[in-house]
Amino acid sequence: MTEKLQKTAITPATHTAPPAKFSHGVKKGNILQVAGQVGFGPAVPGQAPTPVGPTLREQTLQTLRNVQSVLEEGGASWEDVVMVRIYLTDTGHFAELNEIYNEFFADLKEAPAARTTVYVGLPAGLLVEIDALAVLG
C-alpha cells in the first residue's frame, strides 16, 4: 500500500481569507496549484479587499505579484510553473495583457509556462484573474 500524500493549504500573510471554502494555493507532493488570483492589494485587517486600480496594467501586475506570493509561500517560483491560465473580462484587453505579461517575465530565460487565456465574467471592477500550476523539484 502506498502512503497517501498530505495536502497543504497555502495562504500568504498578504492575502485575505477567500470568500468561500477554498485556499489560495494547495500543495500535494511536488505539485502546487495556485487558485485564481485577482488584483487585490495586500490585506488590511478589518477592510474588504479592493482592486489596486481601475486599469488592466495595475490589476495585471498586482495579480501576477499575488500569484508569485502564493508560489513563494509554497516553496516554488515562476521557474517551477508549467501552466498559467488567464481570465479576462474584455476581448479588447488581449494585446495589452500580452505586453504586460512579456514585460513582467522579461528576465526569465524561457517562457514561464504553457498558457491559456479565456474570457469570463468577474465581480464588478475586476478585469483579470490568473491561476498557475507548478511542479517542484
Side-chain angles (χ1 to χ4, degrees):
M1 181 177 209
T2 59
E3 183 178 332
K4 186 172 179 171
L5 297 173
Q6 175 141 354
K7 185 168 62 171
T8 305
I10 308 294
T11 301
T14 56
H15 287 50
T16 58
K21 193 169 180 153
F22 65 88
S23 301
H24 287 287
V26 173
K27 185 175 177 181
K28 186 169 184 175
N30 68 337
I31 303 292
L32 172 60
Q33 176 66 56
V34 178
Q37 301 294 302
V38 294
F40 291 152
V44 176
Q47 290 185 11
T50 56
V52 293
T55 70
L56 181 66
R57 173 168 288 281
E58 291 168 304
Q59 288 190 28
T60 301
L61 290 172
Q62 183 63 46
T63 300
L64 288 165
R65 287 190 291 268
N66 290 343
V67 170
Q68 184 170 330
S69 67
V70 177
L71 289 169
E72 291 171 354
E73 186 78 16
S77 73
W78 286 109
E79 299 288 342
D80 300 305
V81 174
V82 296
M83 182 66 191
V84 173
R85 284 174 293 266
I86 299 178
Y87 309 91
L88 289 173
T89 60
D90 186 338
T91 58
H93 287 159
F94 188 73
E96 183 182 1
L97 171 86
N98 282 335
E99 290 175 22
I100 298 162
Y101 190 86
N102 288 339
E103 289 170 21
F104 187 85
F105 293 113
D107 293 337
L108 287 183
K109 294 177 187 149
E110 59 185 48
R115 192 183 105 182
T116 299
T117 304
V118 297
Y119 301 97
V120 299
L122 292 172
L126 293 173
L127 304 175
V128 62
E129 181 173 342
I130 300 173
D131 71 38
L133 177 66
V135 179
L136 292 76

